[in-house]
Amino acid sequence: MLPEPVIQLLRVQRGVVATRQLRTLTTAERRRILEREPELERLTPRVLRHRVADRSREQHLMAAVLDTGDDAGIWGKSAAALWGFGRFRPATPHVGTSRTLVRGPRLGQVHLLRHLTPESMTTHLDIPVSRPEETVLWLAGMWTHQWGPNGFDIAVLRTAATLDHAWRSRLIDGHRIHALCERSGGRGRSGIVVFREVLRTRPPDYKPAGSALEDRFESTLPCDLRDRLDRQVAVGGDDARIGVVDYRHRCRPLILEINGEAVHSPITARTADAERYDDLVDAGFEVMVVWEYDVFHQPHRIVAALREVEAGPVVPRVIRPTRAPWESW
């Protein structure tokens, strides 16, 4: 029988645990017994997996991070794939770390990073991963090397397209990414010239072209309501999981999220959205969730719900004036 602290750790870490983590939870003798538990199988000399845990992409990524070291996190192409921007599906996880003493085969492709700091990393889906802006800078360096001096314009175009994708996905904070560019300029980081060129036309308050759905939403609002909403606003401080929201009310801590059905209906998207809404509520915001169907077919219900919220007291919570698509299936 596994101890409760180990079970809790396995739940949080997608069913995998590092042997070094067991050292902090148990005695040396108990750890040796745990490593021989029939419930656990050894993936590497450094990582154990619970036999009944679901095998998934997320588990594979978490195991690769645990296999690398304490300050490791998903990096490069794997980070872009985990965040959901760029067209990357690397079979072997890419992992970044500032140091490693591991010898021999590993679960991931390791990048030794001399510029890695705690601020370079965050968590997404409970997996340590490089922040979105760090990921874009790394991709700029990759394309700089791939295309060479004669392919500068191509590297700029690829980086710009990827950055806009991430920005539209509300993963990029303009002030944070410009601060990263300023910090990295004197370190000789690969890709900084391309990165700086892309940001030259994207100031900190840059707002990428929004979706047609958001344009439609704005067209359905009375002028007084529309004037009180700011589009594509960064909220949540340092937490990249909050990032940029669709609309923020100017006079109260009210957030509006305009959800397209194709993107936000899958189960994985529902889980990520629920975590995002919880983060916003914990930060003191009211969160109103608006669906594509309602924008096109019953905008009056959205307007009525907005006016009702404006007339009431501020209560941090998730507000759903209409049913989600899967509740109607």
Side-chain angles (χ1 to χ4, degrees):
M1 182 68 181
L2 297 175
E4 184 61 28
V6 176
I7 293 175
Q8 293 295 334
L9 195 59
L10 287 166
R11 287 174 180 165
V12 172
Q13 296 183 166
R14 309 280 177 171
V16 290
V17 62
T19 55
R20 67 178 180 278
Q21 293 176 313
L22 297 180
R23 297 191 190 105
T24 65
L25 298 176
T26 62
T27 63
E29 180 180 357
R30 180 58 176 155
R31 176 174 60 84
R32 287 192 291 270
I33 295 174
L34 282 175
E35 291 181 8
R36 295 193 296 270
E37 275 281 348
E39 296 178 65
L40 300 175
E41 64 175 333
R42 190 175 291 277
L43 296 181
T44 73
R46 299 161 296 278
V47 180
L48 303 171
R49 174 187 175 275
H50 199 286
R51 293 182 184 277
V52 301
D54 292 335
R55 294 185 183 273
S56 63
R57 178 190 69 148
E58 290 77 14
Q59 185 189 82
H60 191 197
L61 295 174
M62 178 62 82
V65 170
L66 295 176
D67 190 47
T68 303
D70 290 328
D71 68 344
I74 298 301
W75 196 261
K77 296 179 182 179
S78 295
L82 184 61
W83 285 113
F85 59 81
R87 297 180 178 180
F88 302 104
R89 296 295 183 270
T92 301
H94 290 239
V95 183
T97 183
S98 62
R99 63 190 182 279
T100 180
L101 301 177
V102 176
R103 302 290 183 184
R106 287 173 284 198
L107 292 176
Q109 178 178 331
V110 177
H111 300 258
L112 287 175
L113 309 168
R114 59 183 174 84
H115 53 76
L116 187 66
T117 66
E119 291 73 28
S120 303
M121 294 291 185
T122 183
T123 58
H124 181 54
L125 302 179
D126 294 324
I127 301 171
V129 60
S130 62
R131 298 187 68 92
E133 61 273 11
E134 287 276 0
T135 304
V136 174
L137 176 53
W138 185 89
L139 292 173
M142 180 189 73
W143 285 316
T144 297
H145 287 289
Q146 178 178 345
W147 298 105
N150 296 328
F152 177 80
D153 291 341
I154 299 176
V156 168
L157 289 174
R158 294 291 297 273
T159 303
T162 302
L163 176 59
D164 284 343
H165 185 181
W167 217 314
R168 280 195 300 271
S169 300
R170 301 174 295 193
L171 297 171
I172 298 294
D173 181 294
H175 295 281
R176 179 181 290 277
I177 197 169
H178 275 269
L180 172 63
C181 183
E182 184 175 348
R183 290 196 309 271
S184 304
R187 300 182 182 181
R189 286 189 62 175
S190 176
I192 189 61
V193 177
V194 168
F195 197 61
R196 189 182 294 117
E197 175 63 20
V198 171
L199 290 180
R200 185 177 60 82
T201 56
R202 291 164 176 79
D205 59 352
Y206 170 69
K207 291 179 173 53
S211 68
L213 179 58
E214 292 174 6
D215 293 338
R216 171 75 179 191
F217 168 72
E218 291 186 13
S219 71
T220 66
L221 294 179
C223 292
D224 63 317
L225 277 180
R226 187 167 64 247
D227 291 343
R228 290 196 289 274
L229 297 176
D230 290 326
R231 184 169 174 174
Q232 296 291 307
V233 180
V235 298
D238 293 337
D239 195 335
R241 290 175 297 175
I242 299 181
V244 180
V245 298
D246 288 335
Y247 293 92
R248 178 172 179 174
H249 200 284
R250 292 183 178 179
C251 305
R252 63 186 291 142
L254 171 63
I255 301 296
L256 273 78
E257 295 283 64
I258 315 301
N259 289 350
E261 296 182 9
V263 175
H264 292 272
S265 292
I267 293 177
T268 52
R270 297 183 213 173
T271 302
D273 286 341
E275 292 177 358
R276 175 182 170 86
Y277 302 154
D278 287 343
D279 289 340
L280 288 166
V281 171
D282 290 343
F285 290 100
E286 303 168 300
V287 183
M288 180 177 288
V289 181
V290 175
W291 286 96
E292 179 180 359
Y293 177 88
D294 306 308
V295 171
F296 282 89
H297 298 285
Q298 42 189 10
H300 60 282
R301 297 186 62 178
I302 302 172
V303 172
L306 266 173
R307 294 204 184 280
E308 181 180 351
V309 171
E310 283 188 323
V314 174
V315 180
R317 66 199 191 281
V318 178
I319 305 164
R320 303 180 187 273
T322 59
R323 292 185 299 177
W326 58 88
E327 296 172 338
S328 304
W329 294 343

